[in-house]
Amino acid sequence: MLRRFSAAAREEVRGTDVVARWGGEEFLVCCAGADPGWAAKLAERLRHSVEALCHCAPDGTVLSCTVSIGVS
């Protein structure tokens, strides 16, 4: 799931933005020069992208994923 999130995040950001893992399940998305409104829209796009991801566990169980995002 972490790799899938990372790939989804890289698809949503601009070429100049940076997506980096920051701990176990935490990521930073650095959007230098972006205004807060744009960053909030990016956060919502990321949330939707993650919501669309699902993962099949070895036993066949389908797992869904959610994310909480803050903009600073």
Side-chain angles (χ1 to χ4, degrees), residues 3 10 13-14 29 31 47 72:
R3 283 184 273 195
R10 285 192 311 267
V13 300
R14 305 171 298 181
V29 179
C31 308
R47 190 186 69 74
S72 174

Side-chain angles (χ1 to χ4, degrees), residues 9-68:
R10 285 192 311 267
E11 288 180 17
E12 294 293 340
V13 300
R14 305 171 298 181
T16 57
D17 297 336
V18 176
V19 177
R21 190 167 172 194
W22 186 265
E25 298 174 355
E26 298 172 339
F27 284 82
L28 283 174
V29 179
C30 298
C31 308
D35 66 72
W38 184 89
K41 288 177 185 173
L42 170 62
E44 187 61 15
R45 286 196 316 269
L46 285 171
R47 190 186 69 74
H48 281 287
S49 292
V50 169
E51 189 175 60
L53 296 175
C54 66
H55 177 71
C56 254
D59 68 358
T61 304
V62 176
L63 305 171
S64 62
C65 187
T66 61
V67 63
S68 61

